[in-house]
Amino acid sequence: MRALIIDRVSEVIASGLREFGVEVDIKILPSVDELKELLPDYDLLIMRVDPKIDREILDTAAKRVKMIAVCAAGTNHIDLEYAAQLGIRILNAPGINCNAVAELTISKMLDLSRFTMEGNREVQEERIWNKYKYTGHELKGHVLGLVGFGKIGSRVAHLAQAFDMRVLAYDPYVDAAAMEEKGVTKMETMGELCAASDYISAHTPLTGETRGMIATKEFEQMRDGTILINCARGGVVDESAAKAALTSGRLAGFSTDVLENELAGKGLGDNAKLESNLFGTKGFTVSPHIGGSTHEAYDGIGEHILSGVVEFYGLAQKAK
């Protein structure tokens, strides 16, 4: 059996598979054309969220690949329906990196509230030391509205409550009683959430239902000076509408860990170049999809993926 790893994932996976006699090759972030050439030689593909696995790639994979193991929660980059038709099993890792993403969310809330990134740039690049310029807000006493209340949203709520924030959530698939158990108030509509929140944070997968769910209408319903965080998926927030909201002052800040166009058609290699009309907008900050990028999260996901692969293929460990 042969496995191909195409992204930086926990060493737990490669070392564990080799203990079961699997031949493991690693090719970090190949282009789409390279990947199509490689796949017919492998039984298992291990990846994260790039490149987009469309019908063309799946047709190539189907010659031999029986499973695609995704070292992430989201699978919106894969044509799941077509993969199922071809008999290719998709294994992902929902919820395992929830604490890593939740901590980054809180970090972004603090950075925007206290202007830490702007202050750092001004001191280091312009040598200006003005301690009166950046007067911000504490999280304590403010209202956080969560869009999505799964494992990550629940963890963000828990951390926010440690800062003495009041937490609201909009999620039509979670009932009020389940939220109430965690000290969170359920909002019945996005409009209600937007109108009542000082901070809004997205924690929902990207689907046809959630694409663009935070757009012009929602920004118009927000309070002036709202802070928005997106550590979910690019496309959940309408970026053009977000730029307009920042420019008008409706948003005091918008920090995202994801972008609409990050799943480039030919795949993203190291130091890939991306463009966004948000770049350079006052109040906007961005990180390159690092929400789940901690050693602890990588290893937890690695153990989950290894276990799932071993079970699916019925692997037996080599005698030592």
Side-chain angles (χ1 to χ4, degrees):
M1 177 178 167
R2 300 186 70 195
L4 175 65
I5 297 175
I6 64 168
D7 210 330
R8 291 178 176 85
V9 298
S10 172
E11 175 59 28
V12 166
I13 298 174
S15 61
L17 287 176
R18 288 178 178 130
E19 289 184 7
F20 284 91
V22 178
E23 181 181 341
V24 179
D25 293 326
I26 300 173
K27 174 72 174 178
I28 300 299
L29 297 174
S31 69
V32 168
D33 289 338
E34 289 174 325
L35 184 58
K36 286 191 292 187
E37 289 183 10
L38 290 167
L39 282 177
D41 295 328
Y42 293 92
D43 306 283
L44 168 67
L45 172 64
I46 298 170
M47 63 181 301
R48 291 179 70 193
V49 297
D50 195 73
K52 185 174 182 179
I53 305 298
D54 58 15
R55 286 180 170 238
E56 189 175 356
I57 292 180
L58 287 168
D59 281 334
T60 304
K63 296 174 183 178
R64 183 166 169 179
V65 172
K66 296 294 184 292
M67 171 182 277
I68 298 175
V70 180
C71 298
T75 55
N76 58 285
H77 56 296
I78 299 176
D79 188 331
L80 298 176
E81 182 177 346
Y82 193 57
Q85 290 177 22
L86 295 175
I88 298 175
R89 168 76 179 278
I90 308 299
L91 171 68
N92 66 331
I96 296 175
N97 64 358
C98 66
N99 186 66
V101 178
E103 288 188 4
L104 182 66
T105 299
I106 298 295
S107 171
K108 286 179 175 292
M109 290 169 60
L110 290 167
D111 283 338
L112 287 176
S113 297
R114 301 301 299 275
F115 306 105
T116 55
M117 297 184 75
E118 294 91 332
N120 171 72
R121 182 199 59 78
E122 189 171 88
V123 172
Q124 294 206 63
E125 295 181 12
E126 301 179 36
R127 305 298 192 268
I128 295 173
W129 188 269
N130 186 344
K131 62 183 179 180
Y132 303 106
K133 181 177 180 180
Y134 297 112
T135 303
H137 288 283
E138 300 174 14
L139 299 186
K140 180 179 180 179
H142 287 87
V143 179
L144 169 62
L146 298 173
V147 181
F149 199 68
K151 290 184 178 180
I152 296 174
S154 297
R155 182 61 180 168
V156 172
H158 178 74
L159 297 179
Q161 288 162 346
F163 285 88
D164 291 330
M165 299 187 81
R166 179 183 171 221
V167 183
L168 317 175
Y170 169 73
D171 191 325
Y173 300 102
V174 180
D175 62 34
M179 292 187 186
E180 189 175 340
E181 285 181 4
K182 298 182 178 181
V184 175
T185 302
K186 180 179 175 69
M187 297 288 101
E188 295 299 332
T189 67
M190 274 292 294
E192 290 179 348
L193 184 90
C194 291
S197 302
D198 303 302
Y199 298 78
I200 295 174
S201 188
H203 300 287
T204 180
L206 181 64
T207 65
E209 182 182 7
T210 64
R211 184 178 294 277
M213 71 182 299
I214 302 177
T216 300
K217 176 184 175 182
E218 288 68 36
F219 288 122
E220 290 174 348
Q221 295 169 324
M222 293 179 191
R223 304 173 178 180
D224 286 344
T226 296
I227 285 175
L228 174 65
I229 310 294
N230 183 13
C231 286
R233 282 291 183 267
V236 171
V237 175
D238 181 320
E239 293 175 6
S240 295
K243 181 180 177 70
L246 283 168
T247 302
S248 71
R250 180 56 56 94
L251 281 184
F254 172 37
S255 187
T256 186
D257 188 46
V258 290
L259 288 171
E260 288 179 354
N261 64 336
E262 69 177 278
L263 287 180
K266 293 297 182 182
L268 292 179
D270 284 349
N271 301 316
K273 300 294 184 182
L274 284 183
E275 295 296 334
S276 170
N277 66 354
L278 281 162
F279 292 170
T281 305
K282 184 178 179 181
F284 174 70
T285 64
V286 60
S287 51
H289 206 148
I290 60 172
S293 296
T294 66
H295 295 291
E296 294 85 356
Y298 278 9
D299 286 347
I301 289 172
E303 291 167 1
H304 171 80
I305 293 295
L306 177 62
S307 176
V309 168
V310 168
E311 180 180 358
F312 178 78
Y313 287 95
L315 300 179
Q317 201 162 18
K318 292 190 301 182
K320 295 184 179 179

